[in-house]
Amino acid sequence: MARFKGRSWVLATRMFPGRRPRSRRRERPEAAGRRSGSWLSTRSVAGQVFLLQLMIVLLLIAAASVALVLQVRHDATNEARHRSVAVAETFANAPGMPAAVRSPHPTAVLQPLAEAARKDAGVDFIVVLNTKGIRYTHPDTSRIGHHFLGSYRPALKGHTITETFTGTLGPSVRAVAPVTDSRGKVIGLVASGITVSKVSGLANRQMPILIGAAGASLALATGGTALVSRRLRRQTHGLDPAEMTRMYEHHDAVLHSVREGVLIVDGGGRLMLANDEARRLLDLPEYPEGRAVTELGLEPQMAQALASGQVVSDEVLVAGDRLLAVNNRPTDRDGGPPGSVATLRDSTELRALSGRAEVAQKHLKLLYDASVEIGTTLDVGRTAEELAQIAVGRFADFVTVDLAEPVLRGEEPLAVGGVEMCRTAVRGISDDHPFYQVGTHLSFISSTPQAQGFASGQAAVEPDLREAHGWRAQDPEQTGLAIDYGVRSLVTVPLRARGVMLGMVSFWRMEKNAPFGEDEIALAEELASHAAVCIDNARRYTREHTMAVTLQHSLLPRALPEQSALDVAYRYLPAESGVGGDWFDVIPLPGARVALVVGDVVGHGLHAAATMGRLRTAVHNFSTLDLPPDELLSHLDDLVARIDQDDGAATAAVGSEGTEGGGAGITGASCLYAIYDPVTRRCAMARAGHPPPAVVAPDGSVEFIDLPAGPPLGLGGLPFETAELELAEGSRLVLYTDGLIEDRRREIDAGLELLREALAHPGRTPDQTCADVLDGVLPARPTDDIALIVARTRVLGSDRVASWDVPCDPAAVAEVRAAAIGQLTEWGLPAAAPDMAFTAELVLSELITNAIRYAAGPIRVQLLRDRNLICEVSDTSSTSPHLRYAATTDEGGRGLFLVAQFAERWGTRYTADGKVIWAELALP
């Protein structure tokens, strides 16, 4: 479009009314060039190009300088790090280094060696430390014996570490390497450091090259600008007035021949230009130029929009019997004359089409919102409510969703007629409605649109429900209420996904709105199709979740066993979504002892629940062997490794047959196993990748036991370690899974601190402690299962325990037997059960006689009065007796058979000093 200067148009209009004015001819280029001054003037194109090139070159130079400095700094830092690591590791691994560190005077031996090495290597310092961070050497001898200021503790684990710091000499890099003995134990540390400035210098060598390149670039930019300026002057010098006039004529012809109205209004609200199309669209009077816009007989809104000069974009305004799309922009944004230019387009013919396009746009927006807002959860009922909610007010006045009964249970409905449905969702423009309430069970008769749509799989439309006799036959009273309420139109669509009919969705409209038409069925089907897939996903999830929950509940302990060593309370909380693999157990052991187990299998779903059941069963089986915690975890680790191998082999075999595999291993399972003895008050525990337990003393002080962590189950390679501690009576032992302390919105340390605060309350029962922990530590939205056990210790007092040392002499059996009978009499057992003394005497005689005959070393007898009478005979032999049938000619071999017949249970457990043979006798 041609540009017009305001004053020239005003002058031309006044001189030649009724005639389209011509623009003034521009000055000749050569005259303009002579007055423009130097080609470097900022008003000239050449000067502006030169300034732009100058700015670009300067920016490139600055960017190159910054990049060079950063690269040199990065390279210098890496070089300093490599040199400090090499020096520290070389000096730490030097021959004789372990002996020097362990010598009586390590400073006297290492100081001259460290200084000589520092000077030869060109580093700033070489410092030898002990494992507590105390310097043995330092370039400044006054600092010897002081604590090392840098980070060194990670190096105590046997790895070299590096860190960057700013010292007195500037930015520096130091490395700390461990000094190990022949067994790989860290006995000292060597720290080496160097300043970054010692290894830098590349920037000083490359900076002159960069400056030279910048100067050359500036010279080239200046020369190029001069050439471009000469070329521009030479090219514009050839334009003559005829060519300029012809160019203007072409622009003028285009302006007045386009099918779009163009108006130019000056700053005073007067019309300066109106092309032919603008005159036609606005029905302007003859010779309108120079007159105020408000005096041209336009509609008030149109006149106001043109005269005000305000910005307008595609605003539809009335002009007579036309609807015009108006765009208005000011002309003085870039220093032009005050005023505005407006363009007009006739949109009357597009009105009907735009209405249909608007409806289509609303439908597309509805489908898009449905794809986002339907299926946000894996709950069948919630998904049905989301379908009803998204359609109310935008497609229908009321929406009802009816699902087959098996779908709500996660099952697949049978493809037979007469399926019973349940009203799952009802939404509408008002809370009161004339439809069945949610939860109502329905069986649609064959004449209803719902039954026909469910049987055929096609949508059905009833434009006027007053004439829908088949629909009204379902329930004349209820349908009459709907008609009286004002419901007039219905479209019902089956919910079908993956070939399975899930239910029906019905869209209802009131009489004030247009009834459903055939063209709206496609939209209803699209909504139902997307919702059906989401409902089917939720149904499948419900089925799997129900199966997993059922399996998990069947595998977890249903009740705690009876025992006297611990007062136990527990909590188990499943995650908000999915079923996890957390488990716990309380297992009574011989000798009135109790084992506590807490474990966690990473993952959710059926696989995690099934894996949890396998591990829990394995722990129960291994506990019958009465193994120490570390040995039990070792057996469990071997079992998990074998299960992983079997699963991997099965997956490979299934995959080779071309079917879909996906067996997942158990790697990632963790476990904590603890055994408490109420007689000695000793608690032995070991863990495999599990969070440490907490012990709450009777005074309320909390301590997290620093157990050796051990690798998760199934990894193998590293042994497990057992730690023992003595617990005061009334102490609370707290075992938990990581879901309690871990959360995406907080660190593990913060979770442990919250747990410490929740436990630090003396005098609480285990059940109260569980409640306090969940109230204070539980994450807002748990993403993992949580298992928590709180066990308060009890002590089997001396009045319920009796023990005797037995010499290795068969004659001593009678004395011990008599002492045991005396103890039983003191406990009142013979009076309550006369046969009890005989049975106990027989069992003790057989166990002591076997120990004297086959064992060596000291023998000890112990009687425990708990829920049963426990007889224990310990010796230093590791040989375990075996029950067998003695032949008629054998003189012995019947003792253990008698013990097994009279005792409730009997067995053997191994200790660090030998073994213990025990037998439990039922108390009256």
Side-chain angles (χ1 to χ4, degrees):
M1 185 183 296
R3 293 183 59 189
F4 303 96
K5 294 188 178 293
R7 294 182 178 177
S8 61
W9 282 107
V10 174
L11 181 60
T13 304
R14 293 176 178 174
M15 294 176 59
F16 305 98
R19 178 181 177 184
R20 292 194 301 271
R22 308 292 185 178
S23 62
R24 293 184 300 169
R25 296 182 180 179
R26 298 180 180 176
E27 296 178 337
R28 292 188 59 82
E30 56 267 32
R34 286 193 298 268
R35 287 195 298 270
S36 63
S38 172
W39 59 274
L40 289 178
S41 173
T42 56
R43 296 184 178 180
S44 65
V45 176
Q48 295 175 359
V49 171
F50 174 74
L51 290 178
L52 177 61
Q53 291 181 344
L54 179 61
M55 293 175 63
I56 293 174
V57 171
L58 292 177
L59 287 175
L60 291 176
I61 294 172
S65 301
V66 172
L68 176 61
V69 171
L70 293 178
Q71 182 63 37
V72 170
R73 182 178 299 174
H74 179 267
D75 294 342
T77 303
N78 284 342
E79 177 62 23
R81 182 178 292 108
H82 295 329
R83 186 179 299 182
S84 60
V85 169
V87 171
E89 291 181 345
T90 301
F91 196 83
N93 297 320
M97 191 64 182
V101 173
R102 287 178 169 174
S103 64
H105 302 287
T107 300
V109 178
L110 296 174
Q111 176 67 12
L113 297 177
E115 285 303 294
R118 179 182 66 82
K119 295 175 181 178
D120 292 339
V123 297
D124 292 327
F125 64 88
I126 297 179
V127 177
V128 181
L129 320 170
N130 62 11
T131 56
K132 296 182 179 179
I134 304 302
R135 301 188 183 98
Y136 286 153
T137 68
H138 195 277
D140 185 357
T141 57
S142 62
R143 298 187 180 182
I144 297 176
H146 293 278
H147 198 278
F148 185 65
L149 299 180
S151 176
Y152 68 92
R153 295 189 182 276
L156 295 176
K157 298 180 180 179
H159 304 288
T160 300
I161 62 171
T162 62
E163 63 176 346
T164 302
F165 69 102
T166 301
T168 57
L169 301 178
S172 305
V173 176
R174 61 185 167 211
V176 181
V179 178
T180 59
D181 57 10
S182 59
R183 293 178 296 176
K185 180 180 179 182
V186 177
I187 62 175
L189 303 171
V190 175
S192 173
I194 186 174
T195 56
V196 177
S197 59
K198 283 191 175 182
V199 294
S200 61
L202 180 61
N204 297 331
R205 297 193 299 269
Q206 293 186 353
M207 190 59 71
I209 300 176
L210 180 63
I211 294 175
S217 300
L218 287 175
L220 289 175
T222 304
T225 303
L227 294 176
V228 170
S229 178
R230 292 181 58 187
R231 185 174 181 84
L232 287 174
R233 288 199 303 269
R234 185 166 60 250
Q235 290 179 348
T236 56
H237 197 73
L239 292 177
D240 55 19
E243 294 173 344
M244 296 292 291
T245 302
R246 185 166 58 253
M247 182 183 300
Y248 168 76
E249 294 290 347
H250 290 165
H251 288 188
D252 188 64
V254 171
L255 177 65
H256 291 280
S257 61
V258 294
R259 299 299 297 172
E260 188 174 76
V262 179
L263 297 173
I264 297 179
V265 181
D266 66 4
R270 294 182 175 275
L271 181 64
M272 305 306 299
L273 170 67
N275 68 349
D276 298 339
E277 183 67 9
R279 295 169 182 267
R280 184 184 70 85
L281 294 176
L282 297 177
D283 194 18
L284 296 178
E286 193 175 3
Y287 307 122
E289 289 84 356
R291 298 172 59 181
V293 175
T294 55
E295 299 175 358
L296 298 178
L298 304 177
E299 296 288 344
Q301 192 174 4
M302 176 69 74
Q304 176 63 25
L306 296 177
S308 64
Q310 61 184 355
V311 176
V312 175
S313 297
D314 291 328
E315 184 175 348
V316 179
L317 301 176
V318 178
D321 56 351
R322 294 185 176 89
L323 294 175
L324 304 182
V326 180
N327 288 275
N328 197 31
R329 294 292 185 273
T331 57
D332 55 356
R333 287 186 175 181
D334 300 323
S340 62
V341 57
T343 60
L344 311 173
R345 295 194 313 274
D346 191 357
S347 61
T348 306
E349 300 175 355
L350 299 178
R351 186 175 185 181
L353 181 60
S354 63
R356 292 193 296 271
E358 183 179 359
V359 173
Q361 183 180 10
K362 290 181 179 180
H363 289 177
L364 289 176
K365 183 66 167 57
L366 175 60
L367 292 176
Y368 171 77
D369 292 342
S371 66
V372 175
E373 299 179 17
I374 298 178
T376 58
T377 65
L378 290 173
D379 181 79
V380 174
R382 177 58 185 164
T383 305
E385 292 178 359
E386 290 171 346
L387 168 61
Q389 183 177 0
I390 195 68
V392 168
R394 303 173 66 176
F395 181 67
D397 296 321
F398 290 92
V399 178
T400 59
V401 181
D402 305 311
L403 297 179
E405 279 286 340
V407 174
L408 299 176
R409 301 190 300 268
E411 302 173 3
E412 186 172 306
L414 299 177
V416 295
V419 175
E420 185 175 359
M421 295 189 184
C422 178
R423 178 60 50 86
T424 309
V426 179
R427 280 297 181 98
I429 55 178
S430 60
D431 295 335
D432 61 320
H433 56 80
F435 304 104
Y436 294 117
Q437 298 294 331
V438 174
T440 304
H441 294 270
L442 307 171
S443 291
F444 293 106
I445 62 177
S446 59
S447 62
T448 60
Q450 290 86 348
Q452 296 172 2
F454 191 85
S456 64
Q458 303 294 326
V461 180
E462 289 290 351
D464 191 349
L465 293 175
R466 292 172 296 185
E467 305 298 330
H469 301 291
W471 169 72
R472 303 191 67 171
Q474 171 73 30
D475 187 346
E477 182 179 355
Q478 189 69 30
T479 54
L481 292 176
I483 295 298
D484 296 340
Y485 190 83
V487 180
R488 286 294 180 270
S489 182
L490 162 69
V491 57
T492 181
V493 186
L495 295 169
R496 182 174 184 175
R498 303 179 180 95
V500 178
M501 296 295 296
L502 305 174
M504 299 294 294
V505 54
S506 300
F507 303 95
W508 312 81
R509 280 184 183 173
M510 304 289 288
E511 58 184 353
K512 62 181 180 181
N513 294 324
F516 289 107
E518 294 294 335
D519 56 338
E520 294 179 298
I521 294 180
L523 176 60
E525 290 177 339
E526 287 289 340
L527 287 173
S529 176
H530 175 73
V533 173
C534 296
I535 292 174
D536 191 55
N537 291 338
R539 177 189 67 83
R540 290 168 176 249
Y541 171 78
T542 301
R543 178 183 59 187
E544 180 179 345
H545 182 72
T546 303
M547 294 172 59
V549 169
T550 303
L551 174 62
Q552 185 185 45
H553 287 177
S554 65
L555 295 176
L556 287 173
R558 299 184 180 180
L560 296 179
E562 294 183 355
Q563 45 82 30
S564 303
L566 296 170
D567 183 11
V568 181
Y570 69 91
R571 295 289 189 276
Y572 181 84
L573 298 179
E576 289 190 352
S577 62
V579 175
D582 293 12
W583 92 92
F584 64 92
D585 251 320
V586 179
I587 306 173
L589 297 178
R593 297 169 304 136
V594 176
L596 298 178
V597 190
V598 172
D600 184 8
V601 177
V602 176
H604 294 85
L606 284 175
H607 179 76
T611 301
M612 175 268 288
R614 298 167 78 177
L615 295 185
R616 180 170 178 260
T617 302
V619 171
H620 269 273
N621 293 335
F622 289 142
S623 67
T624 59
L625 302 177
D626 212 345
L627 300 174
D630 56 339
E631 294 185 21
L632 185 141
L633 291 182
S634 297
H635 286 291
L636 194 62
D637 182 66
D638 295 338
L639 174 65
V640 171
R642 288 196 300 271
I643 293 176
D644 282 341
Q645 292 176 358
D646 295 341
D647 289 348
T651 301
V654 172
S656 63
E657 296 177 1
T659 55
E660 183 178 353
I666 313 177
T667 301
S670 65
C671 183
L672 172 61
Y673 189 83
I675 299 176
Y676 174 70
D677 188 344
V679 177
T680 63
R681 295 188 289 110
R682 303 289 297 178
C683 182
M685 59 185 71
R687 61 179 176 140
H690 203 81
V695 173
V696 185
D699 61 357
S701 60
V702 181
E703 179 185 3
F704 289 97
I705 306 303
D706 187 16
L707 290 179
L713 297 175
L715 296 183
L718 293 176
F720 300 98
E721 298 183 40
T722 296
E724 287 194 10
L725 65 156
E726 185 173 325
L727 300 178
E729 184 177 5
S731 299
R732 285 170 288 170
L733 184 62
V734 181
L735 283 65
Y736 53 91
T737 56
D738 56 3
L740 179 66
I741 59 175
E742 289 186 357
D743 188 39
R744 296 177 181 176
R745 292 172 291 275
R746 72 184 182 203
E747 299 292 336
I748 296 181
D749 293 340
L752 290 174
E753 189 59 31
L754 290 176
L755 178 59
R756 181 190 300 274
E757 295 175 0
L759 294 174
H761 299 286
R764 299 290 178 91
T765 65
D767 194 72
Q768 290 172 338
T769 303
C770 288
D772 292 343
V773 169
L774 294 185
D775 291 341
V777 187
L778 187 67
R781 299 179 62 88
T783 58
D784 195 6
D785 290 11
I786 296 174
L788 172 66
I789 294 181
V790 178
R792 184 169 57 190
T793 61
R794 298 173 180 169
V795 176
L796 204 62
S798 59
D799 57 334
R800 301 173 65 184
V801 180
S803 60
W804 303 272
D805 292 328
V806 182
C808 293
D809 183 3
V813 176
E815 298 178 3
V816 176
R817 188 168 55 233
I821 294 301
Q823 183 63 53
L824 295 179
T825 303
E826 182 180 344
W827 285 340
L829 296 180
D835 295 338
M836 185 72 183
F838 173 76
T839 302
E841 183 178 3
L842 175 63
V843 170
L844 283 175
S845 297
E846 293 298 334
L847 295 181
I848 297 173
T849 302
N850 282 341
I852 294 175
R853 178 177 298 179
Y854 300 107
I859 301 173
R860 187 171 180 82
V861 176
Q862 182 170 260
L863 290 180
L864 303 176
R865 182 184 178 186
D866 191 31
R867 296 179 181 273
N868 292 324
L869 179 63
I870 304 172
C871 304
E872 295 183 348
V873 177
S874 60
D875 55 58
T876 59
S877 173
S878 60
T879 303
S880 176
H882 296 282
L883 182 67
R884 66 183 180 87
Y885 288 99
T888 56
T889 58
D890 291 342
E891 295 183 359
R894 297 174 180 83
L896 283 181
F897 183 79
L898 293 175
V899 171
Q901 292 298 314
F902 286 102
E904 293 286 326
R905 295 190 306 161
W906 76 279
T908 304
R909 72 173 182 270
Y910 293 95
T911 64
D913 301 327
K915 69 176 184 298
V916 176
I917 303 177
W918 55 270
E920 292 185 1
L921 306 178
L923 291 176

